Each structure stands twice: as structure tokens, then as C-alpha cells.
Amino acid sequence: MDKPLISRRLVDSDASLAEAASGAPKVGILGTGDFARSLATRLVRSGFSVVVGSRNPKRTAGLFPLAAQVVFQVEAVDSSEVIFVAVFREHYSSLCGLSSQLAGKILVDVSNPTEQEHLQHRESNAEYLAALFPTCTVVKAFNVISAWTLQAGPRDGNRQVPICGDQPEAKRVVSELAHAMGFMPVDMGSLAAAREVEARPLHLLPSWKVPAILALGLFVFFYAYNFVRDVLQPYVQEGKSKFYKLPLSVVNTSLPCVAYVLLSLVYLPGILAAALQLWRGTKYRRFPDWLDHWLQHRKQIGLLSFFCAALHALYSVCLPVRISYRYDLVNLAIKQVLTNKSHLWVEENVWRMEIYLSLGVLALGTLSLLAVTSLPSIANSLNWREFSFVQSTLGFVALVLSTLHTLTYGWTRAFEESRYKFYLPPTFTLTLLVPCVVILAKALLLLPCLSRRLSKIRRGWEKDSAVKFTLPGDHALGQKTSHL
């Protein structure tokens, strides 16, 4: 390639790549692409002796660390027992001339098919490689690790390396190699699982699909609703053109609605799960599939809520910069002069705006803390009680602050007839429905009669069980009874 991922300057600057330790385990690599270069760099840094097989060693030697030997493919195969096959599927056949030298070797397939190739071929790349070289042991591994992760180190990427193969001993060797490189090997079973492993890099944010569709649907709904109220109604009934509000004002009015509803949808499934457990009297029955999937997507929904709230804050900062805002300000000043009003000050509105903005900042700050602690690097540094406190308790506090923020924004507007345009209620009244239900349901679950029963259920008590269960705080001991 004209511009390699790892430059020779970077390679030469690292003293650990200059010379391989004597007696180090030898590993071979067939291929000279970006992944092969990154793989060679990581192997050398992990203490391995690396031999790279190339069709043109003189041309590609300068792209690899000095400690790596770049030789012809035949020499690389002869000197190594574990060989990484870092070439595309269509080039596997070019290695058939090395069949006799590869006999008995462990081949580690690191390739990934394109989406079209994955649908076109019934067998995985690893299975195809095993069919071409039946005398070799093929192991699928490292295909989910990017070249950048290999170059920067596992601390900057996913540490898990799925491994599958038909020979346990070969998988053990590759697992030890992955562990020595700083990764966590995960045994995925036989080579038949390679197709599933190869499909992983083809997925584009699979856990974000439903939350993203939900957020987009909510935004389209609130945007259309605000368009009808704030733009279409003045144009139809008053002849005023306010279409200039579409790019910024209507968007800014819709974003907080989406963020607020999404945040309430993060905690609604927990309420439904608790109610279901109370009704069933046990925790040992599965939730419905829709509720189970909803619970699994709470993190993504919460992050999208934070994203919309952050955008709302940025859009709000931009509002005073608009030319239309300046025109409105000048028109208000002219109107004040024409009406001979020397002082415009409504104490109630001043206090309402101050409280409204303060609550909004507090809600966004709390939501930011939730978003930060959802990062794996931060979450892994917290114990379960700390993580639960931030995500559950502080999350509910963020929902309450957002509700107060919305209520102070609306104030008495819900009771003013002029606010109902085309007989449609103000937008904030719609957004309050789900959050208020969640807050009231949460308050009910905090009642001692329900909270104690729910705690007993989650500790293993069952309604129809013959086991008498008491919480640790009770003085009476749990007794077992029999129907016999």
C-alpha cells in the first residue's frame, strides 16, 4: 500500500520493536497488509519472534518492525508452527503451493467477509480454508480485533477475542497466544461457529437500532406537532409567516420533548417488571419478550436522551444570536415606547424563568453523570452498589428534576385558552404523561407494604411456596414448613 497504517518512523521509534529476544516463541504471518503489520507489531511487543511471509520481501520489509523477519512465504511456513493467515478469502488458493510445508501446522484465520460475501457463501472463511488444507488445523480468531486496536494496545479497544476450532489443543495454543498479547480469549466452540464469529464485524450497532428508531419516531411526532401549533396555525388563522422557525426554533422545542420522554422510558420497564413480579408473586418466571428486550435497551435509550438534552442546551444558547430574536427585541422596545410604558417587570415571570433555567441545568448535569458512568471504563471502576446508586437513584432524581423543569416552563399555560392552537394542547402537557406515571408508580412501590413484598420476592420468596421467608431485618427466623 502507498500509505501504510504503521509508518516506519513509528516502528523505529519504539525500542521494544528493534530486536526480538533470543529463544522467544516463533510465530508466522502470511500477508503484508495493514492488519498483518499491526499484528506483527503487537506480537513483537508481546515477546514473540515473528516471521512474515511475503511474495516480495525486499519491497515490504521496510513496513515491519526491525525485530520481525520478512522472508519468502516458504521460509516463513517452514520456521513456524503457528501461522496467521492474514489474506483475503479470494487469495487462499494462492497458498495451495505450500500445502506440503503447511501440513500439521496451526493456521489462524483472521479474515472477515464482506456483507455480500457472507450472504453468498454458506461456509465461513475458516471452513473454506480448512477444506483447502485438510492436513492443517484451522482456528478462527482475532477477526473482531481491528488493526488500530492491535497497534494501540488492548487497553484502547475490546479485549475479548472469540476463538473457535475443532481441535482443543490448537485452541489452547491460540488462547495462550491471545492472552500473552493482552487479550481475553473466549471459546466459541467448534469451527462451525466461525460463520457466527465472522458475522460480528458486519453488524452496525445492532443494540442501537430499536432505540434509534424510537427516538427518531418521537422527534418526527413532536416536530410535526410543534409545526402545526407554532407555524401552521399562525399562517392559516392570522396570515403570519413563521416558517423561519423550522430550522432552529421548532427543532429546539422538539428536542427536550424527546429527551424527557426517552428518560422516562428508561425507568418505565423497571416499574412494569416490578409490578409483574408483585402480581405473579415470584421472580422465577420469564418476563414477556417485549419487556425483556425493553430492559436490555435501557442504556441506549438513556444515552439518546442525554444526546437530545445536550443538543437542546446548545440550540438554546444559539437562540439569542438569531436575527429574528433581535427584530423581536427591537419591536418590543418600540411597542414599549408607543404605549408609554417606562418599566416592564413581571415578578412572577422573572422568578419562573430563573427557577426554570436552574432546574434545567441541574437536570442536564445529573443526566451527564449518568451518561459518563455508563461508559465501560467508568462502570468497571464502580462496585455494584455505586453503579446502582448512580444509574437508579440519581437517574430517578434526573427524571424528577426534568419534570420540575417542564412544570416551571409550562406554569399556568395549560389553563390558558389562548395556548390551545387548533384545539391542540401545549406540547409540554403531552410530555408530562409518561414521566408523571413513572414517578407516581415509583412512589407507590416505595410504600412499605409493597417495597417489603418486592424485596422478599427478589430474594427468592414465592407466593405459593411452602417456604416462610423473612428479611434479614426481621427478628423472627425463617422457617420451612411442609404440606405433608
Side-chain angles (χ1 to χ4, degrees):
M1 297 177 64
D2 295 336
K3 188 177 181 180
L5 181 66
I6 302 179
S7 65
R8 184 56 185 265
R9 182 182 301 176
L10 174 63
V11 170
D12 291 343
S13 64
D14 194 338
S16 63
L17 305 178
E19 185 177 353
S22 58
K26 186 168 291 187
V27 178
I29 300 176
L30 295 178
T32 56
D34 282 340
F35 191 88
R37 291 193 285 270
S38 300
L39 180 62
T41 302
R42 177 54 45 194
L43 286 169
V44 169
R45 287 175 175 168
S46 302
F48 292 92
S49 176
V50 179
V51 182
V52 181
S54 173
R55 290 173 294 180
N56 193 338
K58 291 184 178 180
R59 187 180 65 178
T60 58
L63 302 175
F64 286 85
L66 294 176
Q69 304 177 45
V70 182
V71 297
F72 287 102
Q73 292 180 343
V74 177
E75 301 176 44
V77 170
D78 289 337
S79 60
S80 308
E81 293 299 321
V82 179
I83 301 169
F84 285 86
V85 182
V87 297
F88 292 106
R89 177 187 179 119
E90 57 264 28
H91 300 313
Y92 285 173
S93 58
S94 65
L95 304 176
C96 291
L98 305 173
S99 297
S100 57
Q101 291 87 352
L102 288 172
K105 308 282 186 177
I106 298 176
L107 302 184
V108 183
D109 178 38
V110 300
S111 67
N112 280 317
T114 62
E115 188 171 356
Q116 183 178 0
E117 291 173 344
H118 183 72
L119 297 175
Q120 180 180 358
H121 303 293
R122 293 185 177 180
E123 60 182 1
S124 64
N125 288 0
E127 291 173 310
Y128 176 62
L129 182 64
L132 289 178
F133 301 96
T135 58
C136 300
T137 302
V138 176
V139 177
K140 187 71 183 184
F142 291 95
N143 67 299
V144 300
I145 303 298
S146 66
W148 170 251
T149 302
L150 287 171
Q151 178 183 349
R155 64 184 181 277
D156 296 323
N158 190 356
R159 293 172 56 88
Q160 290 188 350
V161 176
I163 296 175
C164 60
D166 294 331
Q167 296 295 332
E169 180 61 24
K171 288 196 293 183
R172 184 190 64 81
V173 172
V174 178
S175 297
E176 292 178 353
L177 190 148
H179 192 270
M181 295 168 65
F183 296 98
M184 295 175 57
V186 179
D187 192 346
M188 300 296 294
S190 66
L191 199 62
R195 182 172 177 82
E196 177 186 350
V197 174
E198 291 177 1
R200 289 190 178 186
L202 300 178
H203 297 156
L204 180 61
L205 304 174
S207 60
W208 287 84
K209 183 177 180 179
V210 174
I213 293 176
L214 174 63
L216 182 61
L218 286 173
F219 179 79
V220 170
F221 169 76
F222 283 114
Y223 188 88
Y225 191 87
N226 290 320
F227 166 76
V228 172
R229 281 179 41 86
D230 300 339
V231 179
L232 191 61
Q233 188 270 344
Y235 181 77
V236 172
Q237 294 186 345
E238 303 175 16
K240 296 180 180 179
S241 177
K242 294 190 176 182
F243 288 91
Y244 65 88
K245 290 187 174 183
L246 292 177
L248 197 146
S249 181
V250 177
V251 173
N252 188 50
T253 308
S254 305
L255 284 173
C257 301
V258 178
Y260 186 34
V261 174
L262 286 178
L263 182 60
S264 64
L265 293 179
V266 172
Y267 297 97
L268 180 58
I271 300 294
L272 296 177
L276 198 58
Q277 288 179 337
L278 286 171
W279 179 60
R280 291 174 172 176
T282 180
K283 71 172 185 178
Y284 297 109
R285 292 179 60 184
R286 282 182 55 86
F287 295 131
D289 289 340
W290 60 269
L291 181 57
D292 189 48
H293 293 156
W294 192 352
L295 290 167
Q296 294 176 11
H297 287 100
R298 287 181 296 176
K299 174 182 176 180
Q300 290 77 14
I301 296 175
L303 289 175
L304 287 173
S305 173
F306 168 71
F307 174 72
C308 293
L311 285 181
H312 169 56
L314 293 175
Y315 270 91
S316 299
V317 172
C318 296
L319 290 179
V321 184
R322 299 175 303 161
I323 296 295
S324 57
Y325 176 82
R326 301 177 188 178
Y327 286 158
D328 288 339
L329 195 62
V330 172
N331 291 335
L332 180 61
I334 296 174
K335 183 178 180 181
Q336 182 179 353
V337 172
L338 294 177
T339 55
N340 294 322
K341 292 183 178 180
S342 60
H343 184 69
L344 284 181
W345 183 274
V346 181
E347 190 75 15
E348 179 182 342
N349 291 340
V350 172
W351 275 98
R352 180 179 66 84
M353 183 58 66
E354 297 291 327
I355 298 174
Y356 158 71
L357 291 175
S358 179
L359 290 172
V361 171
L362 289 175
L364 181 60
T366 309
L367 199 57
S368 301
L369 186 60
L370 296 176
V372 171
T373 53
S374 67
L375 298 175
S377 57
I378 304 298
N380 293 337
S381 65
L382 303 175
N383 60 39
W384 171 246
R385 185 175 182 182
E386 294 169 341
F387 182 80
S388 178
F389 171 77
V390 173
Q391 293 294 326
S392 181
T393 306
L394 289 186
F396 188 72
V397 170
L399 182 61
V400 173
L401 289 173
S402 301
T403 302
L404 295 176
H405 174 68
T406 305
L407 289 173
T408 52
Y409 168 79
W411 208 247
T412 59
R413 298 179 185 179
F415 308 103
E416 298 174 5
E417 185 178 355
S418 60
R419 299 292 180 177
Y420 287 75
K421 302 176 180 180
F422 279 153
Y423 302 101
L424 298 176
T427 311
F428 77 91
T429 59
L430 300 182
T431 62
L432 285 168
L433 296 177
V434 179
C436 287
V437 169
V438 172
I439 293 175
L440 291 176
K442 182 69 173 179
L444 289 176
L445 292 176
L446 291 177
L447 295 175
C449 58
L450 294 179
S451 63
R452 288 181 60 82
R453 182 179 176 87
L454 186 61
S455 297
K456 290 168 62 176
I457 290 174
R458 290 177 174 175
R459 292 175 64 89
W461 178 85
E462 293 185 89
K463 181 173 59 176
D464 299 327
S465 175
V467 178
K468 290 184 177 180
F469 184 89
T470 57
L471 292 175
D474 294 341
H475 297 289
L477 298 176
Q479 299 177 354
K480 291 187 176 180
T481 61
S482 175
H483 294 299
L484 298 176

